[in-house]
Amino acid sequence: MWLQSVEDFLVLWGFPNCLGSIDGKHIKLKCPRRSGSAYFCYKNYFSIVLLAIVDPHYKFMVVDIGNYGRHSDSAIFENSAFYQQYIDNKTILPPRPLPGRDDPVPHVFVGDEGFALQTYLMRPYPKTGIINDTRRKKFNSQLSRARRVVENAFGILAMKWRVFLRAIETDAATADWIVKAACCLHNYIITKNNTKEYVDMETEEQDEPIRALLNTRPTNRRSNTAAFEVREKFADYFSSL
């Protein structure tokens, strides 16, 4: 199911070899009983994390729900069942050349600074390193364009299901089920209705997730040389357009 939209990213967002847009958001909770500081996040409230991979039609392809709010996106992703089944020491899809190129490049997800740069996951260049580098600026712009669908999906979710605008006053297990139900209903509504109204959205980010679903903490994990090389290949490609 989650691989059906691979070609759509190339057509709709101009980011070749992209498998999906990934991000994690905090879901506020009333302090769970006898939980100590497990659910306490750096935003100074209690939360669980909704980690999602989204397709170009703002549908959730993969979700991981219920991790402690103090955990980073990278840690949650790498401990997820999806990662262990499809990514860990595996090739999701065979590498293929970028349009007009001969050198095969891995298929990737696109994320923000909450994720470590990997051969299978692209994150933007640091802002301090692109001030005088138009090539890197163009890469960041293309990545942002592809990545914004996950931000918009969270915005649609929060505006449709108002429970996300305040702390959920249930135990953590029930909150997990509430979030799962909301994600399933979100996909059902988008499938049932005309998705074009969402695909045509041009806002960089929705206002709602900024207030309701907040970003997780950025990560400073070091990446390997292969990951940097993959990002450079994408940057070379976008700079030649």
Side-chain angles (χ1 to χ4, degrees):
M1 286 289 294
W2 68 276
L3 287 174
Q4 291 178 354
S5 300
V6 171
E7 295 297 334
D8 289 343
F9 260 88
L10 174 59
V11 174
L12 293 176
W13 306 116
F15 204 106
N17 291 23
C18 184
L19 296 172
S21 179
I22 184 171
D23 199 8
K25 295 291 183 182
H26 288 289
I27 307 293
K28 289 184 181 180
L29 292 181
K30 182 180 179 181
C31 177
R33 295 181 60 189
R34 292 189 289 274
S35 64
S37 61
Y39 291 94
F40 195 73
C41 70
Y42 78 104
K43 293 288 186 179
N44 293 324
Y45 57 74
F46 296 89
S47 68
I48 56 175
V49 175
L50 165 59
L51 184 76
I53 299 174
V54 175
D55 76 6
H57 303 290
Y58 304 100
K59 292 172 61 178
F60 296 112
M61 297 188 289
V62 178
V63 293
D64 186 278
I65 301 165
N67 276 277
Y68 296 145
R70 59 188 173 85
H71 291 166
S72 68
D73 283 346
S74 278
I76 293 171
F77 183 50
E78 292 174 8
N79 285 302
S80 68
F82 175 80
Y83 178 90
Q84 294 169 11
Q85 182 173 352
Y86 290 102
I87 297 176
D88 190 21
N89 295 320
K90 303 177 182 71
T91 300
I92 309 173
L93 287 175
R96 69 174 184 182
L98 300 176
R101 304 294 178 93
D102 298 321
D103 187 19
V105 175
H107 287 83
V108 297
F109 298 101
V110 292
D112 62 9
E113 293 85 354
F115 297 91
L117 181 68
Q118 303 287 353
T119 55
Y120 55 82
L121 201 157
M122 294 290 100
R123 61 174 275 172
Y125 287 100
K127 293 180 180 179
T128 55
I130 67 171
I131 297 175
N132 297 315
D133 193 327
T134 57
R135 174 175 162 277
R136 292 186 174 187
K137 281 183 180 179
K138 192 163 186 180
F139 171 87
N140 279 11
S141 176
Q142 291 296 126
L143 185 142
S144 176
R145 186 166 178 246
R147 200 191 68 80
R148 71 184 181 187
V149 294
V150 70
E151 294 287 350
N152 288 343
F154 285 131
I156 295 166
L157 184 75
M159 288 187 290
K160 184 70 70 174
W161 314 110
R162 313 298 282 186
V163 67
F164 296 115
L165 298 183
R166 54 186 172 80
I168 300 177
E169 297 190 16
T170 66
D171 59 83
T174 303
D176 290 353
W177 283 108
I178 291 171
V179 177
K180 290 176 186 178
C183 291
C184 291
L185 290 170
H186 167 92
N187 281 4
Y188 172 77
I189 291 171
I190 289 183
T191 300
K192 185 177 176 64
N193 296 337
N194 183 5
T195 61
K196 188 176 186 300
E197 62 180 290
Y198 300 121
V199 175
D200 286 343
M201 293 170 66
E202 291 297 332
T203 55
E204 192 65 25
E205 291 185 350
Q206 293 291 319
D207 290 336
E208 233 22 274
I210 296 176
R211 296 195 299 269
L213 307 179
L214 299 182
N215 288 323
T216 53
R217 188 194 299 269
T219 182
N220 293 319
R221 276 180 48 191
R222 293 183 62 85
S223 302
N224 58 37
T225 302
F228 286 107
E229 290 175 351
V230 171
R231 185 166 65 178
E232 289 299 316
K233 289 180 181 179
F234 278 104
D236 288 340
Y237 168 75
F238 291 127
S239 68
S240 67
L241 296 180

